[in-house]
Amino acid sequence: MNQNHILSHMLTGIVRDFGQPVMIWQAGTLIAVLVVAWLVARFLRGRLEVHRRARHEALRFSAESLDKALFPLLGSALVWFAQALLDDYMSTSLLDLALVPLFGIALIYVVFYIARRVFSSGGRDHAGLFVAEKIVTVLVWIGMAMTVLGIQDQVLRWMASVRFRVANERMTLLSLSTGLLWVCVTMIVAMWLGSLFEERVMRSRSIDANLKVVLARVGRALLMLAAVLISFSLVGIDITVLGVFGGALGVGLGFGLQKIASNYVSGFIILIDRSIRIGDSINVGGLQGVVTEIRTRFTTVRGLDGIETLIPNEKLMTDVVQNHSSYLTRGYAKAAVQISYDSDVDRAMALLAQAAQGVERILDDPAPTPYLVSFGADGIDLELGFWIENAAKGTAAVRSSVNRNIWRLFNEHGIAIPYPTRDVRIIGEMPGPRAVADSSVGAFMDAEVGDVVKLDGHLLSDPG
């Protein structure tokens, strides 16, 4: 009876060794192994922390679980190694018992780490992540309890004896549980590998931003498909049924899901041809904003009021879309000014070029260039042309800075900016003082610039 149960073996060994010198040797070995595991885990945490500082938020968020898993994982490995070395020389009942909780706790935190890498977004918990972690914790602790009590074989035989029918297949509770476990494991591993692949692709500097999104989405979809096929094969489901499912899916796409399929296809086309990129300022259907995210089904546009709008990708393919962002991201702007005819033109043009120096976002290549545009009625028209970096962000602030520099430099160097002059010409003889006092003066005083009025028989005009 004692040989048939792990419980009797473990407890009998503990009771037999209790108070004997061999228990002291086992306790000393266990403490030494755990101390070494703690020191190694502390060293690895420091190295991993330095490595994580340059990584994205999801990795830092899941790092807590990985840090907690290091000590029990290293401890279980070292305890197992020590147990294998000492088993031929003395009893290792205490090491056998300590190996169960160390391995179980390490398994819990490793599963937590993988789940947070897969399901966390931007350092925030997924809605069902907390519940999944609790379920995993309970299941692992139940497994550890059954292992210590030695009743796992009886539980497995009972699960194998519970039989039922699913469609035309005869299944047992054990086969169903095993199948669900394999499906969960393969799906989580596929999602984890997809997350790692997406992380590597997104960190690449030689790949276009849109192409990164395409590769990440396609890679994750292929891994999920492979996980489904592998899990079905492990469970024993004939994958030929997927052919029937694929045909039904094709019919559904042709009728009820054609809009959804069209959005997905349009999303991949947008990502591949790079007609719209993340950060572009676009105008579609009267909505103007900046593209913040391109998904396979929709594109997120943040409007000028800060509200984000989800636009179906099909709309971006069929409607007229105005893209205000150039691939070069630079734009041309100019500042016009007029100087008086008695000012030094060459000096004024040199000051115009100087006014653009030191202004943020103005490019040095091509260099700002002043021009003499025309000769106006009141002065000489000059213009300063310059290129602005990231013109989609706006040019008003840059032009304002340039105009302020022009005003300051012209004042410092005596360059006059003329203002319009108006000459009033009186046609005919000048009316006498008495006539000016006539009531018709009211009409003259109410007249505006450019009007022709009649005052005591005389026409007065302002040709300006």
Side-chain angles (χ1 to χ4, degrees), residues 189-420:
V189 170
M191 296 176 68
W192 183 31
L193 294 177
S195 178
L196 293 176
F197 177 74
E198 182 177 1
E199 176 190 341
R200 291 294 183 90
V201 171
M202 289 302 179
R203 290 208 314 264
S204 176
R205 298 182 179 180
S206 59
I207 304 177
D208 181 77
N210 283 12
L211 187 58
K212 291 179 182 180
V213 178
V214 173
L215 292 176
R217 302 279 166 76
V218 172
R220 179 168 288 194
L222 292 177
L223 288 172
M224 293 294 294
L225 178 60
V228 171
L229 296 178
I230 293 174
S231 60
F232 281 177
S233 299
L234 293 174
V235 174
I237 299 177
D238 189 3
I239 61 175
T240 56
V241 299
L242 295 179
V244 179
F245 174 75
L249 180 61
V251 174
L253 291 177
F255 290 96
L257 303 179
Q258 57 181 348
K259 286 290 185 181
I260 298 177
S262 177
N263 286 326
Y264 275 99
V265 173
S266 300
F268 277 106
I269 293 176
I270 291 173
L271 291 171
I272 292 174
D273 66 8
R274 296 178 291 178
S275 56
I276 298 176
R277 302 185 176 195
I278 297 176
D280 284 356
S281 177
I282 65 173
N283 189 323
V284 53
L287 173 65
Q288 182 174 355
V290 177
V291 178
T292 59
E293 187 179 20
I294 301 177
R295 304 292 294 270
T296 50
R297 188 178 64 85
F298 60 85
T299 297
T300 304
V301 177
R302 180 181 291 115
L304 301 180
D305 54 0
I307 299 177
E308 290 190 344
T309 304
L310 306 182
I311 301 178
N313 289 326
E314 183 187 14
K315 188 176 182 64
L316 298 177
M317 295 294 296
T318 58
D319 289 3
V320 177
V321 179
Q322 295 179 347
N323 194 336
H324 300 279
S325 301
S326 170
Y327 287 142
L328 299 177
T329 69
R330 67 179 185 178
Y332 184 78
K334 56 187 178 180
V337 66
Q338 190 178 72
I339 64 173
S340 60
Y341 278 100
D342 55 356
S343 298
D344 187 349
V345 176
D346 294 334
R347 182 65 173 171
M349 295 180 68
L351 293 176
L352 285 180
Q354 183 180 349
Q357 297 178 0
V359 178
E360 187 178 1
R361 293 172 54 200
I362 290 184
L363 299 176
D364 296 329
D365 186 19
T369 306
Y371 301 97
L372 195 155
V373 179
S374 62
F375 299 95
D378 302 311
I380 302 175
D381 295 322
L382 302 180
E383 183 179 281
L384 175 66
F386 49 89
W387 288 90
I388 300 178
E389 184 182 9
N390 293 329
K393 295 182 178 180
T395 61
V398 179
R399 288 187 284 109
S400 175
S401 299
V402 172
N403 287 329
R404 291 174 61 186
N405 290 341
I406 292 174
W407 176 260
R408 177 178 55 83
L409 292 173
F410 278 14
N411 287 336
E412 292 176 356
H413 295 84
I415 304 298
I417 299 177
Y419 52 88

